[in-house]
Each structure stands twice: as C-alpha cells, then as structure tokens.
Amino acid sequence: MKKLMLPFFLLSMSLFIAACSSDEGSTEEKETNTEATEESAKSDEMEMKSALLDFQKEVINTVNANDSAIYTFESAKAKEEDKPSAEEIAKLKTEAETAAKTVAEDVQGLEVPAGLDSKKEEIQGALDDLAKSYETRAANLSDEANAEYTESDEQFASFEEKMAAVYEEAGLTKPSFSADIVD
C-alpha cells in the first residue's frame, strides 16, 4: 500500500503544481492583454488627435482660400479717406458675395477623415453651421460701414462651440477658428 501511495502523492503534487503554474500564466496573459489594449487605445487617441489637427488646418485653408474678397469689401466700405466710388463698392460687394458662396460650397464639400469617424456627426454639424454662416453673410452683405452680421456671427459661434466640444473630448485645447480664418 505504501508503494501505491507514493506514485499517487507524486501525481497529485504534479497536478497541483501544473494548476498553479497555469493560473500564473493566465494572470500574465491577462496583464499582457490589458497592456496591449491600453497601448492600442493610446495609439487610437494619438491618431484621432493628429487627424483632428490636420482637419483643422484643412478647414482653415479651405476658408482662407476664398474669403479675402469679403474682408476687402468690408475694409473698403469703412474707409474714411480714399473711399472707393459707389461703383467700386458695388463691384467689391459682388465679389464678396461670390466669395462667401464659394466658401460655403467648399466647406460643404469637406470630407471628415476616417480617423475622426467616431466624431463625424458632431464635426459635420459644425461644418454645416460654418457653411450656413457664409451663406447668410452672402445673402446679407450691407453697404453700411458698420453693418452687423448677427445671424452669420451666431452661426459661426455655433460652429466654434461644436468644434471646441470635439477638441475637449479628445483631450486637446479648443481652437479659435475666428483668429485663424481672418486674412
């Protein structure tokens, strides 16, 4: 009987040791999986931040490519000295209206990059507000030197607020598009 107990005892010990080492392996495996998941999340977060900053530059460049006629018109009608003639103001106004419509169309044509798919709805809503801002500006251009464009300004502010929310959720400082979109 003693002869049978020794192999039984050794078999039990082997199983016990194997079970313990299996638990250690699964714990290490879980830690490795957790680390890989965390690294993947950090990588995704960095890609999103990078895509967001690149897209910000694209939006600014898209607007600035055609909006200078708007600022030219606004500054020309506000001049005290060397004020352009009524004909020149009318020409500048037509150019500004065309420019504002072009900016609105170009903004509507922007594609939200794949890296920002998780925020696509929010970004698209913001872009819609930006496009509406320029459409409204085109429709309401005034020859008055101190004309206010309240509706257009509110739509632009809504664009900035929506984009700021996306930036803050991504862990970035909210940008000031108004500072970058002025020529």
Side-chain angles (χ1 to χ4, degrees), residues 20-163:
C20 288
S21 66
S22 174
D23 285 347
E24 287 176 16
S26 67
T27 301
E28 289 174 14
E29 199 173 291
K30 287 178 187 175
E31 288 174 6
T32 303
N33 287 342
T34 302
E35 289 173 11
T37 303
E38 287 174 4
E39 287 178 26
S40 176
K42 285 179 184 177
S43 176
D44 290 347
E45 182 180 328
M46 290 303 294
E47 286 178 31
M48 182 176 173
K49 286 179 180 181
S50 177
L52 196 54
L53 294 172
D54 289 343
F55 188 64
Q56 174 185 351
K57 186 175 181 178
E58 183 179 357
V59 170
I60 292 167
N61 289 340
T62 298
V63 173
N64 284 341
N66 293 300
D67 70 344
S68 61
I70 300 166
Y71 301 108
T72 301
F73 168 67
E74 293 297 331
S75 63
K77 69 181 186 177
K79 285 185 177 180
E80 296 285 329
E81 296 176 20
D82 298 327
K83 190 167 184 148
S85 68
E87 292 168 348
E88 290 173 323
I89 292 287
K91 180 183 176 211
L92 291 172
K93 183 177 181 179
T94 301
E95 290 171 357
E97 186 177 327
T98 301
K101 288 178 182 177
T102 300
V103 169
E105 289 171 7
D106 291 349
V107 167
Q108 288 172 341
L110 287 172
E111 297 278 333
V112 177
L116 300 174
D117 278 345
S118 65
K119 300 293 181 190
K120 188 172 186 168
E121 276 186 43
E122 293 97 323
I123 293 171
Q124 193 60 55
L127 291 175
D128 291 344
D129 287 346
L130 180 60
K132 286 178 194 173
S133 172
Y134 280 91
E135 289 169 355
T136 303
R137 177 70 56 108
N140 297 313
L141 283 173
S142 172
D143 292 339
E144 293 178 31
N146 296 321
E148 291 187 24
Y149 301 102
T150 306
E151 184 179 2
S152 176
D153 292 344
E154 288 172 356
Q155 290 165 334
F156 191 89
S158 176
F159 155 73
E160 280 199 304
E161 287 173 21
K162 289 177 181 177
M163 288 302 290

